Structures are given as structure tokens and as C-alpha cells.
Amino acid sequence: MMLGVAVWEPVAVLLGVVIGGVAALHGLGAWLRGRQGALESGPFSGGLPPAEHAFSRFHVRWYPVTMIFLAFDMEMLFMYPWVRVVSEMGTPAVVEMFLFLSILFAAVVYARREGALRWA
């Protein structure tokens, strides 16, 4: 019977350390947090008073622009490693990159045709 308690003793000690650490971090956070009130809105963006809330919604026309930006961002993400290996791989790497760029260009042409690039 004594053998079973000895096996679980390190687990109990570790559990106590974890609970004590969580309690200490919670207490430290409550101590550092300070007051619990809402923040007052002050001037920002060049010192002008805010005209709307910081979490206000954006107009729906910004979402297609965001998607186009992400497409070009992904293009750059794939082009950086490509630059490192293009000299070793040779012509097939160049062909593959131009194929990738042509697919992205086709997506931009489609977005333009659908009116995603129009602002009004």
C-alpha cells in the first residue's frame, strides 16, 4: 500500500507547484493591472479627437482590396525562397514561377473585370 502513495507523490508535488504558480501569476496580474475602469478616449492620429470608435466597421469595399493585397503578399512569400534556388534549378524553376505569376495575373484580371478594383 505504501508503494502506491510513493508513486503519486511527485505528481502531487508538481500539481501543487502548478496551482501555486497560477495563483501567483493571477495575483501579480491583479496587482499590476491597476484600476478597473473604462479608458477615456483621447486624441490620436495627429492630435485630433476621435470621430468614431476604434473598433468601428470598415466599408465593404475594403475587403476585396484586402484579398488582392493578401494574394500579392503570398506571391512575395513564394518568390523569396524561389530566388534562393533558381540558379541551382535552372529553366524549370523559371517556367514554374512564370506559371505561378500568370495564375495570379489571371486572378487580378478577373478581379478587375468583376469590379473589385473600383472605388465608387
Side-chain angles (χ1 to χ4, degrees):
M1 186 65 158
M2 194 62 155
L3 182 64
V5 174
V7 171
W8 289 102
E9 187 176 312
V11 175
V13 169
L14 182 61
L15 187 62
V17 168
V18 167
I19 290 173
V22 168
L25 286 175
H26 183 69
L28 181 66
W31 180 63
L32 292 175
R33 182 175 30 228
R35 63 181 179 92
Q36 292 269 351
L39 294 176
E40 299 174 15
S41 64
F44 73 100
S45 182
L48 299 174
E52 69 272 344
H53 194 272
F55 294 114
S56 62
R57 294 179 180 226
F58 292 103
H59 195 276
V60 71
R61 69 178 172 216
W62 288 102
Y63 292 107
V65 173
T66 304
M67 291 297 127
I68 292 170
F69 169 75
L70 287 176
F72 285 109
D73 200 32
M74 288 296 110
E75 172 190 356
M76 287 296 112
L77 181 71
F78 286 120
M79 285 183 84
Y80 284 135
W82 175 78
V83 168
R84 300 287 298 189
V85 299
V86 69
S87 61
E88 298 168 8
M89 303 257 322
T91 307
V94 175
V95 171
E96 288 176 4
M97 182 51 70
F98 276 105
L99 179 66
F100 176 69
L101 292 175
S102 65
I103 291 170
L104 283 177
F105 182 72
V108 170
V109 169
Y110 174 75
R112 181 179 168 91
R113 188 182 68 184
E114 292 296 316
L117 301 176
R118 273 187 278 128
W119 289 99

